[in-house]
Amino acid sequence: MAFFGIYAVVGSNGALAYGDYQRLLAKKQQQLADLKQKQTVLANRVQLLDPNKVDPDMADQLTREKLNVVNPNEVVVPLK
């Protein structure tokens, strides 16, 4: 009985591990919030690229990024 009592307090799933679970839960909830924010940004970009109503600015931006196309009178400033 003593073994089970001690294990209930200091075991891997015992009462003292509760704080670790709370910290892990808070960390995972923050990661979930970050991922939901990224999902919202990506959903907005997808909506702007809808084939039925493409946003001209988004199409221009993607074309310039992928094809490295610039007008002769523009100056390119690399950010990387």
Side-chain angles (χ1 to χ4, degrees):
M1 292 292 277
F3 172 76
F4 291 115
I6 292 171
Y7 191 76
V9 175
V10 295
S12 61
N13 292 325
L16 296 179
Y18 183 73
D20 292 335
Y21 286 130
Q22 291 298 338
R23 284 191 292 279
L24 183 62
L25 177 63
K27 182 179 176 183
K28 295 296 182 182
Q29 285 176 337
Q30 181 61 42
Q31 287 177 347
L32 178 63
D34 293 341
L35 289 173
K36 283 187 177 184
Q37 182 181 14
K38 288 180 184 179
Q39 180 186 22
T40 302
V41 170
L42 289 174
N44 185 33
R45 288 185 65 120
V46 167
Q47 182 182 3
L48 291 173
L49 291 173
D50 182 20
N52 296 327
K53 52 180 177 178
V54 175
D55 181 45
D57 292 332
M58 179 63 76
D60 183 52
Q61 176 188 356
L62 288 175
T63 303
R64 288 171 181 264
E65 285 177 5
K66 300 297 180 191
L67 300 177
N68 292 323
V69 177
V70 294
N71 289 330
N73 61 350
E74 292 179 338
V75 176
V76 177
V77 179
L79 298 176
K80 292 183 182 178

